[in-house]
């Protein structure tokens, strides 16, 4: 039988067609794989945003404390106030802030012959701009930095702070004029609670008394029964102009941080403001504020 003629061009056409088919299959598969990877990666990167904080606005700070609370914290002794004077004192002086939905504050002052008392209130609403960090977590970080700066002992047991004087009773470097002493190292105020003014002779150093309890309930400490986290600090400061005790309560509730500062000044350095009274009143107001914010 005769052979069929061989046509080179036809073979080339067939080979080219097969190559194009294989290339198309390979390219399509690669494109599909890349699309699948991109979709998978996109799904993984779009994780849910962190929860926003409970508070979106802030109340007017000067109107938060009850009038009766302010009267107790700013006593006048036998001093009688006119209606205008009482209104000026108890209305408070609002802090100037640029955004009252993010920060508000107020201050109160009352001067008497027995000394001067100051009360200040600062309320901060924390907002996290990181989608992976909640407002509450951001607020907790700010609160933690405040507690660390105040050198509050951990555990809420009222143990002395690192500033406690040595058992020898000798003054450390820097004590004296302008020195600051934590209430855990200074029990003069509490020891003098039996006196009418609640004060005592500052020359008496309780750390020199082996029977003195330096870890009593008035020491700087963590508070377990206020907000989501809280601490109390107490400092006694002596200067040329006199002596004053500063009590500070800081607490966090959700994404709001409240800082309450309450102090008493005296020009008589032998009469120290008492820790227990100032702390009790400061904690009472802090509890009142926490309840008001929770409503």
């Amino acid at each position: 039988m005769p052979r069929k003629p061989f046509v080179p061009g036809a073979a080339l056409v067939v080979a080219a067609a097969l190559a194009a088919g294989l290339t198309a299959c390979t390219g399509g598969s690669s494109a599909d794989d890349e699309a699948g990877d991109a979709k998978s990666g996109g799904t993984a990167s779009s994780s849910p945003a962190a929860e926003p904080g409970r508070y979106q606005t802030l109340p007017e700070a000067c109107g938060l404390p009850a009038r009766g609370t302010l009267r107790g914290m700013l006593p006048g002794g036998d001093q009688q106030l006119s209606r205008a004077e009482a209104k000026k004192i108890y209305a408070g002086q609002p802090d100037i802030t640029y955004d009252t939905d993010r920060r508000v504050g107020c201050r109160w002052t009352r001067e008497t012959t027995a000394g001067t008392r100051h009360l200040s209130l600062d309320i901060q609403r924390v907002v996290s701009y990181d989608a992976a960090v909640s407002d509450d977590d951001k607020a907790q970080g700010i609160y933690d930095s405040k507690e660390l700066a105040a050198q509050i002992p951990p555990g809420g047991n009222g143990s002395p702070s690192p500033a406690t004087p040595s058992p020898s009773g000798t003054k450390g470097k820097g004590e004296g004029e302008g020195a600051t002493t934590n209430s855990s190292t200074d029990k003069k105020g509490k020891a003098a609670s039996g006196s009418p003014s609640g004060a005592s002779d500052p020359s008496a150093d309780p750390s020199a008394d082996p029977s003195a309890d330096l870890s009593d309930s008035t020491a700087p400490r963590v508070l377990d029964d206020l907000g989501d986290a809280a601490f109390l600090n107490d400092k006694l400061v002596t200067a040329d102009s006199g002596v004053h005790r500063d009590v500070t309560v800081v607490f966090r509730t959700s994404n709001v941080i409240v800082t309450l500062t309450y102090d008493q000044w005296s020009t008589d350095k032998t009469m120290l403001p008492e820790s227990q009274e100032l702390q009790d009143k400061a904690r009472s107001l802090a509890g009142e504020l926490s309840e008001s914010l929770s409503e």
Side-chain angles (χ1 to χ4, degrees), residues 48-154:
E51 288 290 329
R54 174 180 179 180
Y55 302 97
Q56 302 302 312
T57 60
L58 290 175
E60 196 276 314
C62 292
L64 282 178
R67 180 61 65 91
T69 301
L70 291 175
R71 288 195 187 100
M73 299 185 77
L74 305 171
D78 297 332
Q79 181 183 5
Q80 298 297 321
L81 296 175
S82 66
R83 185 182 298 271
E85 289 173 332
K87 182 178 180 180
K88 181 179 180 181
I89 290 175
Y90 299 126
Q93 180 65 41
D95 291 344
I96 298 176
T97 60
Y98 294 101
D99 186 352
T100 55
D101 281 337
R102 292 294 300 274
R103 195 161 205 152
V104 294
C106 193
R107 300 174 186 276
W108 297 263
T109 300
R110 185 164 189 185
E111 298 179 2
T112 69
T113 55
T116 302
R117 296 204 187 193
H118 303 88
L119 172 64
S120 67
L121 182 61
D122 177 82
I123 306 175
Q124 177 185 4
R125 183 175 70 90
V126 179
V127 177
S128 172
Y129 294 102
D130 186 346
V133 180
S134 69
D135 292 347
D136 285 18
D137 288 343
K138 179 72 173 180
Q140 182 64 39
I142 295 175
Y143 166 85
D144 289 341
S145 66
K146 290 178 177 290
E147 183 179 318
L148 181 64
Q151 298 183 331
I152 303 300

